[in-house]
Amino acid sequence: MPDTEIFKVIFQNETKVYEVFAREVYQSDMYGFITIEQLVFNERNSVLVDPSEEKLKTEFASVKRCYIPMHAIIRIDEVDKEGTSKICLLYTSDAADD
């Protein structure tokens, strides 16, 4: 059993869905927000690099904690170990044209 908890947090930001892993997730003192701290990224020794995860690492490089509006949260899971963080499009412009 791991000595620290790890949470997978899935949330929406504009037209994208973010899936990140963090060690701390709790209700913020700011009403209506969830606080996410200590983001965890896969530290692999392989040559293969995931561009989506690298983009997230860059985006959150100097972030101490994130305040996510509760209505943007899709799901929070406590997991055994971290996975690959990623960003996905919520929808494409082709779907909006139909």
Side-chain angles (χ1 to χ4, degrees), residues 28-48:
S28 174
D29 291 338
M30 288 191 293
Y31 184 75
F33 286 83
I34 297 293
T35 302
I36 302 171
E37 291 183 358
Q38 299 179 26
L39 293 173
V40 178
F41 295 101
N42 266 341
E43 299 298 331
R44 294 188 205 113
N45 295 329
S46 68
V47 178
L48 206 55

Side-chain angles (χ1 to χ4, degrees), residues 56-98:
L56 276 169
K57 277 185 187 180
T58 304
E59 184 173 340
F60 291 103
S62 62
V63 175
K64 225 166 139 176
R65 69 181 55 94
C66 297
Y67 299 97
I68 309 295
M70 280 189 192
H71 68 271
I73 299 288
I74 297 171
R75 183 176 177 145
I76 299 173
D77 295 325
E78 185 176 352
V79 295
D80 292 332
K81 61 182 181 175
E82 73 271 2
T84 303
S85 298
K86 57 188 166 189
I87 304 172
C88 301
L89 285 176
L90 185 59
Y91 59 87
T92 62
S93 60
D94 294 338
D97 294 337
D98 290 339

